[in-house]
Amino acid sequence: MALLLNACTNKVLNTSNYELAPQEINKAVLLQEINAFRKRGCRCGSVKFMPTHALKWNKNLETAALKHSQVMKKTNYFSHEEKRGPDVAERVKNTGYTDWSTVGENIAMGYATEKEVVAGWIKSTGHCSNIMNPDFDELGASTSGVYWTMVFAGRKN
């Protein structure tokens, strides 16, 4: 079982100068952007990822992402770790998605579109590595206010 997080900050932030994320993600656009990188391969920092299979949307992972985005908005706290609450693995399990072997999470804030947030994640080594990780099969994402959360999982074989 693996848990992969990127290197985001644990901070209370002033979000008044950030763009609002869309209230509802365009899943088709987000998947298209993510899977385009996976199809052609990508360099994430010093690591070159070869082309890999496309990810599929998963509603349970979307629910886990939504809950985390909502907590970040409510607490104005930008982090993978909630001050008092479950980590990404527990958030995924709490949705009923229990047959995973690896999970990961990307978070972001202040992006107005799916294309912008993916472009931002690709520029970050940790986020990019999650996007390109061939062990992941599915993803779900959601927003709340200025916050984006994307949750990845690979099912047990």
Side-chain angles (χ1 to χ4, degrees):
M1 181 180 317
L3 175 64
L4 304 170
L5 303 174
N6 57 57
C8 292
T9 183
N10 294 341
K11 286 188 180 178
V12 174
L13 299 167
N14 177 355
T15 60
S16 62
N17 294 328
Y18 289 93
E19 291 278 338
L20 285 177
Q23 286 186 343
E24 189 171 322
I25 288 178
N26 184 326
K27 297 171 192 173
V29 170
L30 189 64
L31 277 172
Q32 180 181 1
E33 291 294 311
I34 296 293
N35 286 329
F37 281 102
R38 291 176 65 88
K39 183 178 181 176
R40 67 178 172 263
C42 185
R43 180 170 296 282
C44 301
S46 62
V47 178
K48 177 150 178 49
F49 285 86
M50 300 306 292
T52 190
H53 61 278
L55 296 174
K56 296 177 184 166
W57 194 268
N58 180 280
K59 183 68 175 165
N60 292 72
L61 298 178
E62 178 184 355
T63 299
L66 174 61
K67 290 185 182 295
H68 191 56
S69 288
Q70 289 172 333
V71 166
M72 288 192 293
K73 179 183 177 186
K74 180 179 177 183
T75 61
N76 196 33
Y77 189 70
F78 185 64
S79 177
H80 291 285
E81 303 298 324
E82 296 178 17
K83 288 183 179 182
R84 293 184 197 93
D87 63 13
V88 65
E90 285 299 314
R91 289 192 299 272
V92 169
K93 287 180 185 176
N94 290 344
T95 70
Y97 189 120
T98 58
D99 62 336
W100 57 268
S101 62
T102 186
V103 296
E105 178 177 76
N106 285 359
I107 59 175
M109 63 184 296
Y111 292 97
T113 70
E114 294 79 6
K115 288 183 179 191
E116 289 174 6
V117 75
V118 172
W121 281 330
I122 287 295
K123 292 176 186 172
S124 164
T125 301
H127 296 96
C128 180
S129 295
N130 275 348
I131 288 169
M132 295 304 298
N133 188 331
D135 294 335
F136 293 140
D137 303 306
E138 299 174 303
L139 70 83
S142 194
T143 62
S144 185
V146 300
Y147 299 101
W148 292 77
T149 305
M150 180 179 289
V151 179
F152 304 88
R155 291 196 183 265
K156 293 178 185 174
N157 291 332

